């Protein structure tokens, strides 16, 4: 691994704190990693972009998947995950997920998370797309993420972990050997520290969530601007499979001009028997897949888009009127409230829906212990690419992946510190590189990027649309670069300009990978390459950022990931 020397244009840190571990992000992955590190005796700092309970986890509706039900097994969960992943899952990574998952969920319950139970005191389990069994544990009907977030946040506060809220992470710090030495961050005027500062630590865990804000319409909160992926790229880490962005099939349609975060209509609604219908009330998924409306998400999203094209319609409908008022109020209260807030009553009328950007199956490439290609830098949750999801995430595997791999990261960091003596010396960061900082985009570029990505790299893609998107993104990149190179001018450093710059970075990588993958696989749908090509494309696309800010785009030789090679110490068994 060679550092790029690239950093965001930002003031020098005006304050610093030290720790054994800094965790960036406060969703299920970040808080689980932090709690486990603290329990191992490591001094841990949690940095989060908004408040502790404002991450993507709290928006999760459906639930968390694990083989917890009678007759279900990890092997069956494995099979469903591999099928959904369309030939690109790392089978060993999936096996880790499904075998360690049930106990990880039980530990989450021990931490204080309360899941819905039957009158006999057993977990209530539901089905979602791609699952052949009921294995989705849920809480509050359709408020699973909110309950998990509540439990973990309470545990963090009860444990007295140090937290820095309202803080946007900027760049990775490294020492003279290129190992992780902490992060720089900007606290947005409401934390213990204000302005740009630093947390010095020999281990950094990225758990920054997704990058859904790169598209105009998404289920992701406004903070999901790809900050972790962009930071990792500038630090010299590899990212993989960023072309596989899952578009959730059933997002409440609020109009063609709607932008930003859109209300999600959970897959669990279909799991309980809702039907997808067109404007004439005709079910159109029947006959397209053995599971009909419960087919994997990529198949359902494509089915919806095809029907929309056939009928020149802006949206389709989800019909669950047969649930009745009582079921809606008790099983799906969050969705019911969101629909009614937007003038739709699902008790008496079908819900207008359309696909919207939802989840990134790719991300910062890691090994089975969450280690990236930068020594000391870890990643888990949506920001990571562990190999679990392949070309298309199986419904409700995301919370489980964050949980399982966060625990594995904490175990690896604890083992590393034990080998070097607990509370190992905090490495000394090298000074800022001499080369100019990464140019910043003006805040309004965010909307231009979202429009470019939605039109060129959305649900439907082609060489023509992707080439156009690549040219438009390159123009934004070149204009900012040329202005900095010619006269040293760049947009004023600030949250809006840093976020826009990060979005451009991840957008360029996504489009480059999508152009290279000339096939349709999982949630990557090429209109001009309709078939799946296992001979040429049952492999991964890996991208790095060069020191001149260009992209190095490569493919693996097989469907297996190469080792990350970040740490040559013997592996404990």
């Amino acid at each position: 691994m060679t550092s790029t020397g690239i950093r965001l244009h930002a003031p020098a840190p005006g304050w610093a704190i030290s720790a054994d571990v800094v965790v960036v992000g406060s969703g299920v992955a970040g808080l689980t990693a932090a709690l486990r590190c603290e329990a191992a005796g490591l001094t841990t700092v949690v940095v989060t972009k908004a408040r502790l309970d404002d991450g993507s986890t709290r928006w999760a509706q459906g639930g968390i998947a694990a083989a917890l039900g009678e007759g279900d097994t990890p092997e069956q969960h494995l099979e469903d995950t591999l099928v959904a992943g369309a030939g690109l899952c790392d089978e060993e990574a999936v096996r880790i997920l499904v075998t360690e998952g049930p106990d990880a969920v039980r530990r989450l319950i021990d931490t204080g998370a309360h899941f819905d139970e039957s009158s006999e005191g057993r977990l209530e389990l539901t089905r979602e797309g791609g699952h052949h069994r009921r294995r989705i544990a849920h809480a509050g009907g359709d408020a699973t993420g909110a309950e998990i977030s509540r439990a973990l946040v309470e545990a963090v506060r009860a444990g007295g972990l140090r937290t820095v809220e309202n803080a946007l992470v900027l760049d990775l710090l490294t020492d003279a050997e290129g190992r992780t030495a902490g992060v720089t961050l900007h606290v947005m005027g409401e934390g213990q520290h204000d302005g740009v500062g630093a947390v010095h630590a020999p281990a950094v865990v990225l758990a920054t969530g997704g990058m859904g804000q790169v598209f105009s319409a998404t289920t992701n909160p406004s903070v999901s601007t790809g900050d972790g992926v962009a930071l990792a790229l500038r630090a010299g880490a590899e990212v993989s499979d960023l072309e596989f962005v899952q578009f959730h099939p059933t997002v409440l349609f609020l109009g063609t001009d709607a932008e930003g975060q859109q209300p999600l209509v959970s897959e669990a609604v279909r799991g309980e028997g809702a039907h997808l219908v067109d404007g004439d009330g005709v079910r159109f998924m029947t006959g397209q897949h053995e599971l009909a409306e419960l087919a994997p998400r990529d198949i359902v999203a494509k089915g919806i888009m095809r029907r929309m094209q056939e009928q020149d319609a802006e949206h389709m409908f989800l019909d669950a009127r047969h649930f009745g008022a009582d079921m809606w109020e008790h099983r799906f209260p969050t969705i019911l409230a969101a629909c009614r807030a937007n003038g739709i009553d699902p008790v008496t009328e079908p819900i207008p829906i359309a696909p919207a950007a939802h989840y990134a199956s790719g991300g910062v490439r890691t090994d089975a212990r969450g280690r990236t290609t930068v020594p000391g830098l870890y990643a888990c949750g949506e920001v990571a690419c562990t190999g679990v999801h392949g070309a298309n995430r199986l419904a409700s595997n995301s919370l489980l992946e964050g949980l399982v791999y966060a625990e594995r990261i904490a175990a690896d960091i604890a083992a590393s510190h034990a080998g070097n003596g607990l509370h190992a010396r905090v490495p000394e960061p090298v000074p800022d590189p001499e080369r100019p900082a990464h140019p910043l985009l003006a805040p309004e570029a965010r909307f231009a990027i979202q429009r470019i990505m939605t039109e060129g790299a959305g649900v439907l893609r082609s060489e023509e649309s992707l080439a156009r998107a690549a040219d438009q993104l390159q123009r934004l990149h070149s204009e900012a670069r040329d202005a900095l190179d010619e006269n040293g001018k760049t947009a004023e450093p600030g949250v809006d300009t840093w976020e826009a710059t990060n979005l451009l970075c991840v957008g360029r990588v996504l489009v480059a990978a999508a152009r290279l993958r000339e096939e349709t696989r999982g949630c990557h749908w090429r209109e001009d390459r309709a078939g799946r090509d296992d001979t040429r494309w049952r492999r991964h696309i890996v991208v790095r950022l060069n020191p001149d800010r260009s992209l190095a785009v490569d493919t693996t030789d097989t469907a297996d990931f190469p080792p990350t090679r970040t740490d040559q110490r013997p592996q404990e068994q």
Side-chain angles (χ1 to χ4, degrees), residues 379-405:
C380 58
E382 190 173 354
V383 71
C385 181
T386 61
V388 160
H389 304 308
N392 185 44
R393 174 180 67 96
L394 181 66
S396 289
N397 267 357
S398 51
L399 292 175
L400 191 71
E401 184 201 30
L403 197 60
V404 167
Y405 281 87

Side-chain angles (χ1 to χ4, degrees), residues 42-54:
L42 303 173
T43 304
T44 306
V45 173
V46 177
V47 173
T48 187
K49 194 172 179 180
R51 299 188 305 274
L52 270 184
D53 59 356
D54 258 353

Side-chain angles (χ1 to χ4, degrees), residues 452-453 455-458 460-476 507-508 510-518 524 526 528:
I452 291 166
M453 294 298 294
E455 293 176 356
L460 305 179
R461 303 167 178 175
S462 67
E463 171 56 31
E464 180 182 358
S465 75
L466 290 166
R468 184 170 61 251
D471 288 344
Q472 292 171 329
L473 293 176
Q474 183 60 39
R475 190 175 304 119
L476 290 174
R508 290 176 65 216
L510 192 161
V511 169
R515 287 188 77 183
L516 184 59
R517 185 173 290 281
E518 295 182 333
H524 172 65
R526 286 281 297 261
D528 54 339

